[in-house]
């Protein structure tokens, strides 16, 4: 059994370029699918957020059309209700990275709001990469990599092979023309060696100890890759 740190957004809204605060949070599948994979493998989960705030689920992610059907939505909701770790997060400032064998970041639009500029998350990511332990980041959560840049704009993630929510998918959910910036564009500028698969299909990229997934459907497969790396 290993301890896995799950770093989650604390944001409940995402500020669009016109100033509108769109309600959001974390995406249900990106927590519930890996949570099941990790706990079924016997691993222990600790949730951490900025300021230790209780993370909120994006309610859109629990709507049957978005979740993949009513049964799936109800199953995800049941996991969220039973996962006590979500109700007792620690603050990112309190994290002792050496206590964990792996780090996992689920997405949702929330990380675009807070983790993309959070210095504590940025510092944790730099340390996690240097640790040599598995680091998993899925969907919109690679936005957190933007906070790893130093005063000179340099990041240890430069030129790593990564994926993340693509522009086509952002257009598909209706936000490509409303967002202040698009994740795919910013990851390319970082710079990373960004790649993507077909929209909405599972697609993961592994570069050394960095595991990234493109979209919600990639979160379960990504978690399985991390479990393999821990075994």
């Amino acid at each position: 059994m290993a301890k896995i740190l799950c770093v989650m957004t604390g944001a409940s809204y995402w500020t669009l370029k016109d100033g509108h605060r769109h309600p959001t949070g974390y995406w249900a599948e990106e927590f519930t699918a890996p949570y099941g994979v990790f706990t079924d493998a016997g691993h222990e989960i600790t949730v951490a957020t900025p300021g230790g705030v209780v993370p909120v689920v994006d309610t859109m992610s629990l709507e049957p059309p978005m979740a993949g059907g009513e049964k799936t939505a109800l199953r995800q909701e049941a996991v969220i209700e039973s996962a006590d770790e979500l109700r007792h997060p620690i603050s990112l400032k309190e994290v002792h990275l050496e206590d964990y064998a792996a780090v996992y970041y689920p997405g949702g639009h929330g990380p675009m709001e807070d983790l993309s500029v959070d210095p504590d998350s940025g510092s944790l990511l730099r340390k996690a990469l240097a640790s040599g332990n598995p680091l998993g980041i899925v969907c919109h959560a690679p936005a957190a990599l933007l906070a790893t840049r130093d005063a000179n704009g340099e990041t240890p993630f430069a030129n790593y092979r990564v994926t993340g929510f693509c522009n086509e998918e952002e257009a598909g959910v209706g936000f490509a023309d409303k967002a202040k910036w698009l994740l795919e564009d910013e990851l390319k500028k970082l710079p990373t060696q960004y790649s993507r698969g077909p929209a909405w299909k599972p697609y993961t990229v592994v570069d050394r100890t960095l595991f990234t997934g493109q979209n919600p459907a990639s979160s379960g497969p990504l978690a399985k890759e991390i479990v393999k790396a821990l075994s």
Side-chain angles (χ1 to χ4, degrees), residues 4-34:
I4 298 175
L5 182 70
C6 183
V7 179
M8 303 181 69
T9 178
S12 58
Y13 62 84
W14 176 34
T15 307
L16 303 178
K17 64 183 177 185
D18 65 357
H20 173 72
R21 291 183 170 185
H22 175 72
T24 188
Y26 67 89
W27 198 258
E29 182 178 1
E30 295 169 36
F31 173 79
T32 61

Side-chain angles (χ1 to χ4, degrees), residues 150-225:
D150 62 19
N152 297 317
E154 296 180 352
T155 170
F157 290 88
N159 297 314
Y160 265 75
R161 291 184 292 108
V162 306
T163 189
F165 205 65
C166 69
N167 292 352
E168 180 187 351
E169 290 165 325
E170 201 68 85
V173 292
F175 289 110
D177 59 346
K178 298 176 182 178
K180 291 180 181 179
W181 47 270
L182 298 177
L183 179 62
E184 177 181 335
D185 295 344
E186 294 303 309
L187 289 176
K188 289 175 178 176
K189 291 177 191 173
L190 198 56
T192 64
Q193 294 182 37
Y194 176 89
S195 65
R196 51 157 291 192
W200 312 116
K201 301 296 184 183
Y203 181 76
T204 60
V205 173
V206 181
D207 188 346
R208 287 156 279 184
T209 57
L210 179 63
F211 299 72
T212 53
Q214 180 175 317
N215 46 35
S218 306
S219 59
L222 183 78
K224 291 176 183 177
E225 294 281 352

Side-chain angles (χ1 to χ4, degrees), residues 5-13 25-26 46-56 85-86 88-95 104-107 109-125 141 143-144 147:
L5 182 70
C6 183
V7 179
M8 303 181 69
T9 178
S12 58
Y13 62 84
Y26 67 89
T46 297
V47 171
T49 63
V53 302
V54 174
V56 298
E85 296 91 339
L86 287 171
H88 304 283
I90 64 173
S91 171
L92 286 174
K93 291 182 183 292
E94 300 171 3
V95 169
Y104 170 67
Y105 276 65
H109 281 114
M112 302 275 280
E113 183 73 23
D114 61 354
L115 298 181
S116 63
V117 294
D118 189 282
D120 296 316
S121 173
S123 175
L124 189 153
L125 283 167

Side-chain angles (χ1 to χ4, degrees), residues 42-149:
H43 300 310
E44 179 184 336
I45 309 298
T46 297
V47 171
T49 63
V53 302
V54 174
V56 298
V57 65
D58 189 326
T59 55
M60 185 187 299
S61 68
L62 288 172
E63 293 177 3
M66 301 299 288
E70 188 171 353
K71 285 184 179 179
T72 303
L74 289 172
R75 186 168 64 247
Q76 290 176 1
E77 195 168 337
V79 172
I80 290 168
E81 289 177 357
S82 66
D84 285 339
E85 296 91 339
L86 287 171
R87 258 77 67 190
H88 304 283
I90 64 173
S91 171
L92 286 174
K93 291 182 183 292
E94 300 171 3
V95 169
H96 297 286
L97 190 61
E98 62 272 15
D99 293 341
Y100 303 96
V103 176
Y104 170 67
Y105 276 65
H109 281 114
M112 302 275 280
E113 183 73 23
D114 61 354
L115 298 181
S116 63
V117 294
D118 189 282
D120 296 316
S121 173
S123 175
L124 189 153
L125 283 167
R126 289 192 294 269
K127 292 174 182 175
L129 188 68
S131 75
N133 289 332
L135 170 60
I137 316 176
V138 75
C139 200
H140 284 94
L145 298 182
L146 304 181
T148 66
R149 293 174 291 194

